[in-house]
Amino acid sequence: MQVLHEIFGKDWEASYTSQMQSEATRAIEDGKIVLLPQLTFALSSEEEIFFSTEFSHPKFKNISFNPQTGLVRGAKCDVVHQAALKNMMARYAKNASQLMSSLFPHYRNTIKIGRTSFRPIEIYGRIPKSYRKDDTRLHVDAFPMSPTQGKRIFRVFTNVNPYGKERIWRVGEPFADVAKQFLPRVKKPWPGRAAILSALRLTKSYCTDYDYAMLQIHNLMKRDLAYQKSATQEEVRFLPNTSWIVQTDSVSHAAMSGQFVFEQTFYLPVESMAYPHLSPLRILEKLAGRNLA
Ligand SMILES: O=C(O)CCC(=O)C(=O)O
Ligand SMILES: [Fe+2]
């Protein structure tokens, strides 16, 4: 399968023809990565000090920003630098939103913005706390605290590495193949699990059967070292000063190396997709023979 779908947009305000929009929609919903090889995110000269690991809190993987509350997390710095970080990340959030809106206009009314992240730590050689947190292993995204209830996860990335370093990913097999292998291995949740998790506030919202299955698949994929080696996969190298958009809940991916990337997350209801049958929710429901929402 062709993994990349290239679009030539030079800036975040670029407009796209309806043909480009519908081709990009088909491509992304079909599990391709939409690559914008000419699109970068420029840092001002004052912001260049953030090309460093010095502002990262050792407990966090990334520096994150919540565009809804304006809060920055995971940074270790004084108020002046904190404000500058916030400014820079808010600008990335705005740019990424603009891109999503001009490339996918029919998602506009229902898409919701999530967290923005700045990732200043080199991936290669990083020691994860557990295999579940190891993003160098192929996985589809699912987060224990943040159930999506079927909503799609879109991520916009920009490699801003100033030293010419690529971000290297492995991209695995289509979601339908992942699901066929791993859904049969998903154990039944114990009764009342979701209600207890949300009552104890261990999840930010209700964890549906879909969320449970996705989290299990995420963990099973990462735990299976034989699968990591033998699964159909290919290496994709993202050059500095390029951007890409991917549905990380369906595209099997692993980040192998690279440093200094921005990322913006968005959530989209399955019903807003042009091809909802391609969503992980519908694919899993078809295999399970029942409703998982
Ligand atoms: O940082 C990256 O390049 C990707 C890591 C990852 O697995 C993700 O953002 O879902
Ligand atoms: Fe991921």
Side-chain angles (χ1 to χ4, degrees):
M1 186 182 109
Q2 176 93 30
V3 175
L4 300 175
H5 175 84
E6 287 194 38
I7 301 236
F8 295 93
K10 279 203 173 74
D11 54 63
W12 300 93
E13 289 85 34
S15 50
Y16 300 96
T17 63
S18 58
Q19 188 183 343
M20 286 163 104
Q21 292 166 339
S22 52
E23 283 172 6
T25 304
R26 175 79 216 181
I28 199 132
E29 292 193 8
D30 200 20
K32 292 189 171 53
I33 298 175
V34 171
L35 175 69
L36 295 113
Q38 299 174 324
L39 185 63
T40 193
F41 179 67
L43 269 60
S44 69
S45 52
E46 296 83 55
E47 288 168 343
E48 281 172 12
I49 49 160
F50 296 124
F51 286 132
S52 150
T53 53
E54 151 187 8
F55 301 98
S56 296
H57 194 289
K59 274 214 208 124
F60 293 81
K61 260 201 313 204
N62 306 317
I63 297 175
S64 76
F65 170 69
N66 182 337
Q68 261 131 12
T69 61
L71 287 179
V72 174
R73 273 186 84 202
K76 184 189 68 181
C77 54
D78 59 34
V79 286
V80 175
H81 286 118
Q82 182 98 1
L85 264 176
K86 178 175 156 176
N87 231 318
M88 175 174 82
M89 296 180 71
R91 195 168 76 247
Y92 188 74
K94 188 165 159 259
N95 286 346
S97 304
Q98 189 139 20
L99 171 68
M100 288 301 287
S101 163
S102 49
L103 202 50
F104 306 112
H106 64 277
Y107 297 162
R108 228 178 255 163
N109 295 332
T110 49
I111 200 160
K112 292 264 176 333
I113 196 162
R115 294 291 158 87
T116 317
S117 72
F118 175 51
R119 306 179 174 186
I121 316 249
E122 167 63 53
I123 292 172
Y124 184 80
R126 196 167 61 180
I127 300 161
K129 285 200 199 99
S130 81
Y131 76 88
R132 292 188 204 90
K133 293 216 156 78
D134 187 355
D135 287 341
T136 68
R137 300 186 186 197
L138 287 168
H139 66 283
V140 289
D141 281 355
F143 306 102
M145 301 270 293
S146 309
T148 71
Q149 295 151 345
K151 284 194 256 348
R152 306 304 318 276
I153 304 174
F154 279 78
R155 290 190 151 173
V156 178
F157 292 89
T158 303
N159 181 1
V160 294
N161 190 288
Y163 313 113
K165 210 163 183 266
E166 297 162 322
R167 196 154 193 98
I168 303 181
W169 278 21
R170 289 185 290 142
V171 176
E173 56 192 355
F175 186 80
D177 297 334
V178 169
K180 248 180 248 154
Q181 290 191 65
F182 290 96
L183 186 62
R185 294 203 230 162
V186 170
K187 295 201 191 78
K188 278 215 159 55
W190 38 272
R193 177 184 181 275
I196 290 170
L197 287 181
S198 68
L200 295 177
R201 296 186 189 281
L202 292 174
T203 52
K204 288 182 194 150
S205 56
Y206 194 80
C207 179
T208 63
D209 286 358
Y210 166 78
D211 292 303
Y212 178 82
M214 286 296 282
L215 192 57
Q216 293 286 307
I217 292 171
H218 166 272
N219 295 346
L220 288 165
M221 287 174 82
K222 281 187 172 173
R223 199 168 66 194
D224 189 337
L225 291 175
Y227 174 79
Q228 292 292 326
K229 264 200 191 150
S230 66
T232 308
Q233 55 192 281
E234 69 182 81
E235 187 179 81
V236 180
R237 293 171 168 256
F238 299 103
L239 291 168
N241 303 316
T242 66
S243 300
W244 61 103
I245 316 172
V246 51
Q247 293 198 304
T248 50
D249 54 352
S250 62
V251 175
S252 164
H253 61 286
M256 306 313 291
S257 66
Q259 190 180 14
F260 304 120
V261 92
F262 280 88
E263 174 270 332
Q264 176 64 54
T265 300
F266 295 92
Y267 299 98
L268 183 81
V270 168
E271 305 75 49
S272 302
M273 294 174 67
Y275 310 96
H277 67 281
L278 298 175
S279 65
L281 175 64
R282 298 284 176 255
I283 289 173
L284 291 177
E285 285 185 332
K286 204 169 165 202
L287 283 172
R290 67 183 180 96
N291 197 324
L292 298 175

